[in-house]
Amino acid sequence: MPFIADRLSAIKPSPTIAVTQKAAELKAAGRDVIGLGAGEPDFDTPDNIKAAAKVAIDKGQTKYVAPAGTLELRQAIAAKFKRENELTYTPDQITVGVGGKGVIFNAFMATVNPGDEVIVPAPYWVSYPDIALMFGGVPVFVPCSEESGFKLRAADLEKAITPKTKWLVLNSPSNPTGAAYTWDELKALTDVLLRHPHVYLMADDMYEHLVYGDFKFATPAQVEPKLYDRTLTMNGVSKAYAMTGWRVGYAAGPLPLIKAINMIQSQSVTHTASISQAAAVEALNGTQDFIPKNAKIFQGRRDLVVKLLNQCPGITCLTPEGAFYVYPSCAGTIGKTTPDGKVITSDTDFVGALLEAEGVAVVQGKAFGLEPYFRISYATSETALTKACERIKRFCESLK
């Protein structure tokens, strides 16, 4: 339609949300569908956090607050960064957004000029490139192979940087692969950035607390303090605290950038909900006991899914370090034919045929920039995961 802005032609709807909606539609139509597309914990928000929101309502904390977020929440965030990441920020260096996506949107709006390049390691979370494109940015995709554990290598980062590079986006643990960077791996990347002082780093730590085994989480500004003034360290309460619907993301960084982000927010959404912010204060300041318990459950699910997927003909699956996703390869199914005569030529064909034949909804690797793979979210019960993997195996065995 002629009144729709040209910039929208460069982007597309979120494919992960589309898969979740498709699964819901099929369920509503009576199909037996197991949806493994949603990137949210199946746990309920802890009771102490819900209680804090109810208290805030009863106290009348239902008015406008500062675009940057309430002082109480920003103080809690500053304390979290100091306690968990050895990073010192003042409350005025912190912004609270409408989810992590809101923070990224504001940061790119504040900094990306037409033609600026944003380095995005692939596979990537689907929103990074589209948000950059909205503001005339140029996503520069750097493929990160299965052989490298789906992680960006220092030499590949060095090759990708040009005089036009504005940002490197680094997500650890990763959506969609679950790959997480060790201290030494981060140090190799930060050493590259030290040689290129015009490049800023966006560290998306949303899955920080969902790491497994002996893995130790670290964030880039912690690893290399010299990048402190060039790093936007972002996080949120969505994943570890099972608060996806509360929409609270946050970030800390250099004061001029945070001021610009807050100015944008003042002219857009104003702020995220005051009640959600009160709940987030309790999330960060209150008991953290449930986090390792939930992580242990997620680790059990990860191990189950990896084991079962590797028993499927044509499927191979690495064991990721964190998050609640696996990113298996379906390369061994490419070129095969379904019982009804459809040839599998891509991961998109694979996930479509799987949904049609067995009612298992997953997301194609094409959506994340690296094929032929697909993403499974194991943020659901072991019973559902076992049933889903049995169906995937049956589907793979049916291919000729």
Side-chain angles (χ1 to χ4, degrees):
M1 300 180 73
F3 59 87
I4 301 299
D6 292 343
R7 73 177 68 91
L8 264 67
S9 63
I11 66 171
K12 55 191 179 299
S14 167
T16 54
I17 293 174
V19 167
T20 303
Q21 290 175 338
K22 177 68 172 177
E25 290 168 4
L26 289 171
K27 284 182 181 179
R31 282 287 306 274
D32 177 15
V33 174
I34 302 174
L36 302 179
E40 64 178 347
D42 56 324
F43 306 121
D44 193 16
T45 302
D47 288 341
N48 64 305
I49 298 173
K50 292 191 286 187
K54 295 171 186 175
V55 168
I57 293 171
D58 291 339
K59 284 185 175 180
Q61 295 177 5
T62 56
K63 308 298 183 184
Y64 291 130
V65 301
T70 65
L71 178 59
E72 187 180 14
L73 178 53
R74 286 181 285 129
Q75 288 171 335
I77 294 165
K80 173 260 183 281
F81 277 126
K82 185 70 173 177
R83 178 178 70 244
E84 297 180 351
N85 309 113
E86 302 171 353
L87 293 173
T88 301
Y89 293 104
T90 58
D92 62 351
Q93 288 179 279
I94 292 167
T95 184
V96 178
V98 183
K101 192 179 292 187
V103 172
I104 298 167
F105 190 96
N106 289 342
F108 282 179
M109 179 181 279
T111 60
V112 174
N113 293 311
D116 285 348
E117 294 176 353
V118 178
I119 295 176
V120 182
Y124 48 77
W125 180 50
V126 296
S127 292
Y128 297 137
D130 278 14
I131 295 175
L133 285 165
M134 274 191 228
F135 304 112
V138 180
V140 175
F141 301 115
V142 182
C144 302
S145 68
E146 187 173 346
E147 290 69 31
S148 69
F150 300 120
K151 299 178 195 178
L152 179 65
R153 292 172 170 168
D156 294 328
L157 172 60
E158 186 81 58
K159 291 176 186 175
I161 293 173
T162 76
K164 293 182 178 181
T165 305
K166 177 68 69 77
W167 286 100
L168 163 65
V169 180
L170 204 61
N171 178 209
S172 175
S174 158
N175 176 4
T177 65
Y181 291 82
T182 65
W183 184 285
D184 290 344
E185 288 167 340
L186 288 174
K187 187 65 172 69
L189 296 174
T190 57
D191 284 350
V192 173
L193 293 177
L194 289 176
R195 296 194 288 272
H196 300 277
H198 67 291
V199 181
Y200 277 68
L201 172 60
M202 179 179 289
D204 183 348
D205 297 346
M206 190 63 72
Y207 296 89
E208 171 184 3
H209 292 296
L210 300 178
V211 294
Y212 310 121
D214 296 328
F215 187 88
K216 303 296 183 193
F217 175 84
T219 194
Q222 174 188 16
V223 172
E224 181 46 81
K226 292 176 184 176
L227 290 178
Y228 176 89
D229 290 330
R230 290 163 50 195
T231 302
L232 184 69
T233 303
M234 58 159 295
N235 210 314
V237 297
S238 294
K239 312 301 181 179
Y241 299 92
M243 295 176 66
T244 51
W246 298 77
R247 309 311 300 136
V248 182
Y250 57 81
L255 188 57
L257 174 58
I258 298 300
K259 285 184 174 179
I261 288 172
N262 291 335
M263 180 174 65
I264 290 167
Q265 189 145 278
S266 75
Q267 295 290 7
S268 57
V269 297
T270 306
H271 58 78
T272 196
S274 59
I275 304 306
S276 294
Q277 294 193 52
V281 171
E282 174 60 23
L284 296 177
N285 289 345
T287 179
Q288 310 290 299
D289 293 350
F290 60 90
I291 293 179
K293 294 176 183 176
N294 288 354
K296 187 174 182 180
I297 294 170
F298 278 131
Q299 181 173 344
R301 294 171 177 178
R302 177 202 65 173
D303 294 344
L304 172 70
V305 169
V306 170
K307 176 185 175 182
L308 294 177
L309 286 174
N310 280 315
Q311 296 172 4
C312 299
I315 303 293
T316 58
C317 185
L318 294 184
T319 302
E321 295 89 352
F324 40 68
Y325 309 104
V326 290
Y327 200 65
S329 167
C330 58
T333 70
I334 302 300
K336 294 186 176 181
T337 304
T338 65
D340 59 357
K342 294 177 182 175
V343 179
I344 305 293
T345 64
S346 65
D347 50 32
T348 301
D349 288 345
F350 176 86
V351 302
L354 174 64
L355 179 58
E356 181 66 30
E358 293 288 352
V360 177
V362 299
V363 187
Q364 66 272 21
K366 184 177 182 179
F368 306 104
L370 193 70
E371 303 176 72
Y373 296 86
F374 60 100
R375 190 193 78 172
I376 283 179
S377 167
Y378 53 83
T380 189
S381 71
E382 288 194 7
T383 300
L385 291 169
T386 300
K387 183 186 284 188
C389 289
E390 288 171 350
R391 294 184 183 186
I392 294 171
K393 184 179 181 182
R394 186 167 62 208
F395 173 72
C396 290
E397 289 173 342
S398 76
L399 300 176
K400 303 297 181 184

